[in-house]
Amino acid sequence: MTMIEVKDLSKVYGSGETKVIALDSVNLTIEQGQFVAVMGPSGCGKSTLLHLIGGLDRPTTGTVTVEGKDISKMSDTTLTELRRRKMGFIFQFYNLIPVLDAVENTALPLILDGVKPETARIKAKEWLTRNKLEDRGSHRPDELSGGQQQRVAISRAMVADPVIVLADEPTGNLDSRSGDEIASVLRKIVSDWGRTVLMVTHDPRIAAYADRIIFLKDGRIVDDALLSGDNGDNAKRLKEKVEAL
Amino acid sequence: MRIQILLAWRYLLGRKQRMALTTLAVVFGVTLLFGMNAMIPAMMEAFRHNMVTAAGKVDISISGDSNNPFDEASLDALKDIGGISHSTGLLQKNVLLPESLGGTTDPIAGASAVTVTGLDIPTAQSVRNFQIKEGRFLEAADGSETVISQLLADKMSLTVGDTLSIPSSDGIEKLTVVGILSLSASAGLDEIFVPLATSQRILNLPDKINTIDILIRSDADRLTVENEILSKLGPNFKSGPVEVGNELASALIMGESMMWLFGIMALAMASFIIFNTFRTVIAERRRDLGMLRAIGASKRTVMGLILTESLIQGVVGTALGLMFGYLMCLGLLASFGPMLQSFMRVSVGGPVITTANLVGSILLGIGFTVGSGYFPARSAMKITPLEALRPSLGAAEFRKNKRRALWGLAMVAASVFGLVIGELNVAALSTLVFLAGLIMIAPVMVKPVADTFGKLISLVYAREGRLAQGNLARQPGRAAITASSMMIGLAICIAMIGMITSILNGFIGYLDKSLGTDYLLMPSSLVLGGGNLGANQGLIDRIRNTDGVEAATSLRLAASQTKGAALQMIGIDPEVYPQISGLAFSNGDPATAYPALANGRSIIVNGMFATSAAIKTGDVLTLKTPQGDQVYNVVGVAFDYLNAKIATGYISQANLATDFNASSDVLLLVNRKTNSNNSAVLSALKAIAKDFPAFSLIDSTEFKNEQINMFKQAMSTLYVLVVMLALPGLIAMANTMSINIIERTREIGMLRAVGTTQTQVKRMVFAESLLLSALGTTMGILVGLFLSYLLLKALIFIGFTVDFFFPATGILMSVAVGLTFGIIAAMVPARTAARTVIVEALRYE
Ligand SMILES: Nc1ncnc2c1ncn2[C@@H]1O[C@H](COP(=O)(O)OP(=O)(O)OP(=O)(O)O)[C@@H](O)[C@H]1O
Ligand SMILES: [Mg+2]
């Protein structure tokens, strides 16, 4: 089943002399249950693509369809609700609320959706347990390591049972070991829990966890390939490709 | 809602210091607003308790339109009105009881004043039911007999057969108590009833009454009868009892609006503080808020979160403010009470909480807090989810600042122009415009001021000063708002202190002029009117005939109305008065004004009245008198010391007698011959004063010193109050410093990491705080000068002749206050900053 369909998507920032074409007529289809990594040099439009698909920003032209619904023309309220129910976000800087503990941070999307606090807490704890944080539930973000904070963020992204998880450089701030941990959790989201994941990364080693790699350059897709076989080999081949671009 | 409250609460607790400071600002404003306004009604109430006249249970009460007595003969006009069943004429007045006659200053426990009512005995009983508890009622043959209320009998332990002495215009009136009324007959007042003729003698008002009580036929319509009565009597009568103390009540009402203004000003400063805090809060939480939006929080949720936070602070702050306000009022009343008691003979009870005050304070307290959170909350709402992913953009403020500053500059220019015009209303508006303009300029002033004073500070703290200077200029908007709240506080201080000082000086001058004689015979209450009883010609004649007395003159009193407002009338002797005393003129020429008083109907009005009624020399005034309207020519604007605060007109005593039926002396001024023996004259006068217990003989020098001391005491309380208004400035600074430190935790950690010592960090914070206060103080002094000038204008305008004052004391004090505040405000933040744990600061996200 097609989860995301992107048609002739363009995003232009500014006008005249300072005009920047961040995305240039991108066409893309992502099936349900796919783990897609987006790679490319800095400034090529990776984040822009992710933002548009996540309904965080509006395209200049073109459409984004999620589960058959065109989100590019939805009202802010509808879009907000869609984000709340259908999408999970993972950011490079975790973005946890510093004054809430791990359970409360995780439960946030449910509480925003009007779920009873007790129910929300139970679900939040479930997800924290799945991400091996069962004993850190009452810790505040500043009492957690970077990797742990990112796993709280992943729990938060998953707690409302989204169909799509969007991650912009989720391992950008982590060492390679924590990075691997996060990548395998994302892998599990697809393999064990059947969600669709779209991840932006610079790191070929992290990208190798995905099923499919999309390469962007100057706002266009320049390569789109399915991965199979050994992670290590894939990583090596991706690295060569990145260097080639 | 739940999530908003949870988040709001957690965020607030996460920044306790900042929350405490912001809330404190609200607390302070509400305290001032609520506390001060609980005090005024307490005073009003006390005042009324003392001054209110007894309102009998009659159908219609008629009194003179100008509240003056009128001829008994007016009763004849009522004879053929069909709707009246009974009518009676009364002469009624509050008379203060001096201590020598058993009076006290405590009207609750003892009697301080009695309401003397003269009754026309046969008709009085047909109109009102006088229920006797003991003894008998008055009879036609009675002269010095009296019937008193039970309340008074209890207070003064009087029974039937006892003698009650009260002051009278010929000295003392000894009355024999023949009956005591039951409690229900007199509405809890200290009343005495005497035959009409007796009261006319006591009050020196032969053939006069001041009230007509009327019962109507049961089948008659009250309104119709009332209208018929009023049309028969003519235009100089009104329905309703004699009103006393109107003039003072309006002064109190003015005080009340002053207090509201003070409170609102404090709250306005509080809202600056809150605005600053929330603006920072939003900047600080951009990422959090963006994330919330990204994961599905609606715009309203985000806005609600910020508003909830301000609401919590508003509610907590207001609740605490109400509590402290009440306590403050208790404290002030306790310390002010004795002074008021001796000054006005009014005993003040506890705080009075009116609904208006309570509701007003709550609404304003919460309203200002939530209101000042509103704009930051709106900007929070506009944060897009993308902000969560982007590093925040802090630039672009400067250009807007510059444009705003230009507007501000234009406003300042316009306001200076407005001040020069010399119109008071325009000047007042100009001051507001000036203030607003300065607040708009403030952001661009931050850098130059910081640079200038930075050099000064660099002399002491070479490196830290430089850093502080840069730090302050980083957030010009915040620094400007902080400095603005300090500016407002200090400006008010400077102007008020200047004004207080000059009024004090001025009053000492007037005191010398208008009470410049050697001796004074003062009525019991310093404020003329109300319960003071005058003396007849006998007193002044005896004084004039005393050995060693060179001259004596008197002031007489009546009430009038003109242009719909009450006007106190004072009768002077146009020849003698200016010789031994005098009015302070602000308009007109004394050389022609006094003689003019003796010639036809001429009046000198005081500045207060001239201002409020827009009257100047050469105008004509139509005054209400018991004889109908009379036209007076205004020949000057001037005032005497005692009546500066009340709308007053001065006319000749001859005119006062013909037009206002008043011929009692209420204040006497006496000069002794230069070669006479002071103590001999004094004891001779003392002997005379003994026979007139309504008066106290006072050696002027002594009295003046007493007055000056009292003034100074009152002024020092005012000083405290005014300085209190500077406090929000301190809170604002402490708040901003604490915000700055929080914001820079990472930076401070870095500084510490690379080897800055704790002392250096502290110095940096102190230097920044001092710079901030320098900015506020500079602006405060500027506005203070402006405001001083305005107040000076206003004073001259309402008729006080005040010399120009340069508020040097205020400015010096402001500099001292600024320096102190700068240091105090930095204390806690400096410690927090110095204690920054390097590792945590670097983790701080
Ligand atoms: N708000 C904006 N205004 C103007 N230009 C923008 C804005 N956001 C992004 N751009 C430009 O759009 C282009 C694509 O930006 P984008 O953030 O998508 O790149 P990226 O591939 O995510 O880069 P990186 O790997 O560095 O994160 C860049 O050239 C960037 O400068
Ligand atoms: Mg990016």
Side-chain angles (χ1 to χ4, degrees), chain B residues 34-35 37-43 45 325-331 333 348-354:
Chain B
F34 184 68
N37 285 305
M39 215 169 89
I40 300 278
M43 288 164 67
E45 194 127 304
Y326 187 81
L327 292 178
M328 182 184 80
C329 181
L330 270 183
L333 283 178
V348 181
V352 175
I353 297 165
T354 60

Side-chain angles (χ1 to χ4, degrees), chain B residues 424 495 499 502 785-806:
Chain B
L424 190 66
M499 192 180 74
S502 83
L785 279 170
F786 199 95
L787 215 59
S788 302
Y789 185 70
L790 176 83
L791 285 177
L792 169 83
K793 279 250 152 174
L795 279 178
I796 292 172
F797 204 71
I798 61 170
F800 289 90
T801 12
V802 179
D803 294 330
F804 176 73
F805 52 89
F806 183 77

Side-chain angles (χ1 to χ4, degrees), chain A residues 13-14 20 22 40-49 168-169 200 202, chain B residues 390:
Chain A
Y13 289 109
V20 177
S42 182
C44 68
K46 306 182 293 290
S47 297
T48 308
L49 178 65
D168 195 347
E169 314 223 17
V200 169
H202 271 118
Chain B
R390 246 190 242 141

